[in-house]
Every structure is written in C-alpha cells, then in structure tokens.
Amino acid sequence: MSAWLVLSFEELGSTNDKAKELSANPPAQKFVVTAQKQTSGRGRRGRVWQGLDGNLFMSQGFELELQHLSDMVFIISLSLLEALRLIAPNLKIELKWPNDVLVNGSKVSGILLEKAENEYIIAGIGVNVKAAPNLDNQASYSATSLKSCGIEVSATEVLGAYLKAFDKNFATWQTSGFEMIRNKWLQNAKGLQQEIKVNLEKEVICGIFRGIAQNGALLLEKDGKTEQIFAGDVFYKEEK
Ligand code: BTN
C-alpha cells in the first residue's frame, strides 16, 4: 500500500475544502491535508468546528466507491480510538455512534466525510489535542481535550499514530470486510445494550442500543421492535 503524502499548511479556512480542491488534480493517490490553524472549520449537520490552537485539523483524500462511505465512518473512528489508546493507555476511551470518540465520556474528536472529485472522498478529522471548545448552551454534549486529561502530545504525533491505525484497519476491511470492523467498533462502543436517547431532525426517540446494521445504521429497540436510525445525535442516560 502506498504511503500518504502529507501536505501541511500554516493556515486554511477548512482542510476539507483544500482537500476537495486538490482532488480535482490529486497530488498523490492518497494524500492528507493538515493546517496548524483552521479558520472556518465545518462540522456535521452544518455545525461550526472551532479552530483552537494546537488541535489537529486534517483531511484525508483517497479513492473510494461511494457505496462504502458508511463503512469508512467506522474504520476512521475505530482507528482514532486505537491511536489514542496507544498514546494514552490509561484513559477511558470509547466510541459513540456514528463517529465520535469520547474520553471520559466527553467528545474529543469529530469526523466529517464528504464526496469530492474523481471518485475521491475527503475524511476530515478534528482532534482536541490541546483545547476543547467552550460549548456554552450551543450543544447538549460535553467536549474535552487530551491536554485537560493530562496527556501531553502534539497534533503531529496524533496524526502519525492515526494513519498507522487507519492503514491497518483499512487493510483488514479490504481483506475481511465490514464484519470484523463492526465487531471491534461495538466492543468499544459506549452504552451497548443500554437505554439511549436519539435526537432526530424532528423528534426524540428512546430505546435500547442493540448494535449497528450492515449499512451503518444504529439499531434501536423500542416497544419490542428494532428500528434503524440513519442520522441523529445519541445521548446516554446520565446526559440531559
Ligand atoms: C463533527 O461535527 O463532529 C465533525 C467535525 C469535523 C471537523 C474537522 S477539522 C478538519 C476538517 N476540516 C473541516 O472543516 N472539518 C473537519
């Protein structure tokens, strides 16, 4: 497997936008765009991703058939979890559907997958290495940073550990399919077989988190029936 070409910028609006632009004429088969400072970072569901100093802002560009996009969400979040476990073996690190990594129950990273040119996809990843956003009342989830959990590491070290884990998991997925990735993901998921609340676009639904479907949907059991949830924000019992 070829190596990643890493293109590092001092400042960008959004690493995802830069990577999308590059995908029109890809600088390498697999490339990564990083920025020390990101001024207009984008999150899921139209949210803003704050560009706090010292955090990791990166976007991977690689070719992928769109039918596999949902598998990538799990490969990437699992790889981030494994990278952070290597860096901080004593921290409590878990996964939250669809693609958040939690440290001590709070969000430490976010992933934004987008389509680009030439069958490329862009996997944008933000990790709170040095600072967590002050979310005030904008979000009902909490955020944390590695530094506030006592972990002194640089964004570059997190990137290196992540790319290694990603390559390993991607190779596993290529040879063995989604099943093995899904099992590993679920082994590290917070709240499996427990009651959770999911905020959908227009309603809130409560049920037991039973797993992940082949298509990446969250399986939620409610009134004896299992429903597939395709988009939403998950909350655990202890959260409001
Ligand atoms: C989320 O809402 O959880 C996803 C956040 C994704 C943020 C990253 S930071 C690097 C890349 N560039 C962006 O503009 N967004 C992603």
Side-chain angles (χ1 to χ4, degrees):
M1 190 184 267
S2 64
W4 292 92
L5 173 72
V6 180
L7 301 166
S8 307
F9 293 82
E10 250 169 52
E11 183 176 328
L12 287 174
S14 156
T15 56
N16 265 33
D17 289 346
K18 187 67 184 177
K20 266 191 190 170
E21 188 189 310
L22 288 167
S23 71
N25 194 2
Q29 204 182 359
K30 293 166 33 176
F31 63 90
V32 176
V33 172
T34 68
Q36 269 174 48
K37 198 170 156 57
Q38 181 171 256
T39 53
S40 333
R42 291 183 281 110
R44 285 172 59 227
R45 306 177 95 190
R47 295 177 186 132
V48 167
W49 187 261
Q50 294 181 28
L52 302 169
D53 277 358
N55 285 349
L56 174 63
F57 311 107
M58 63 160 285
S59 299
Q60 292 170 278
F62 55 100
E63 287 166 293
L64 187 85
E65 285 176 41
L66 280 184
Q67 53 170 330
H68 299 311
L69 206 58
S70 78
D71 291 8
M72 279 315 114
V73 167
F74 298 95
I75 293 178
I76 292 170
S77 49
L78 176 66
S79 303
L80 266 178
L81 169 126
E82 289 178 351
L84 296 185
R85 284 245 173 97
L86 274 181
I87 290 167
N90 298 323
L91 282 188
K92 186 177 180 197
I93 311 179
E94 297 160 297
L95 295 168
K96 173 166 128 171
W97 185 89
N99 57 20
D100 287 346
V101 180
L102 306 175
V103 172
N104 296 335
S106 296
K107 177 163 166 148
V108 78
S109 67
I111 299 166
L112 179 67
L113 278 173
E114 297 181 313
K115 286 191 283 181
E117 306 285 328
N118 293 320
E119 316 240 311
Y120 267 68
I121 66 143
I122 306 303
I125 299 169
V127 181
N128 299 335
V129 178
K130 298 293 181 193
N134 181 358
L135 296 168
D136 296 325
N137 292 324
Q138 307 158 38
S140 36
Y141 62 85
S142 58
T144 191
S145 69
L146 295 175
K147 186 171 177 173
S148 67
C149 296
I151 305 301
E152 284 296 345
V153 64
S154 69
T156 314
E157 286 168 293
V158 175
L159 170 66
Y162 165 74
L163 287 177
K164 264 195 203 148
F166 177 86
D167 282 344
K168 183 197 70 174
N169 286 319
F170 192 87
T172 300
W173 173 76
Q174 281 183 311
T175 50
S176 315
F178 181 55
E179 196 53 33
M180 204 177 273
I181 299 293
R182 172 168 57 178
N183 289 342
K184 274 193 176 182
W185 198 96
L186 286 171
Q187 278 162 21
N188 292 289
K190 179 172 160 78
L192 189 63
Q193 312 303 351
Q194 289 170 22
E195 195 171 308
I196 60 168
K197 185 173 95 177
V198 190
N199 283 9
L200 309 176
E201 199 88 44
K202 290 194 179 119
E203 58 170 322
V204 176
I205 165 166
C206 293
I208 312 287
F209 173 25
R210 291 294 186 206
I212 305 291
Q214 187 69 30
N215 59 13
L218 174 100
L219 296 173
L220 193 73
E221 187 187 314
K222 193 183 172 224
D223 304 330
K225 278 195 210 140
T226 303
E227 296 187 23
Q228 293 201 359
I229 311 277
F230 294 97
D233 289 319
V234 168
F235 294 90
Y236 301 101
K237 252 190 161 168
E238 65 271 20
E239 296 172 314
K240 52 179 169 160

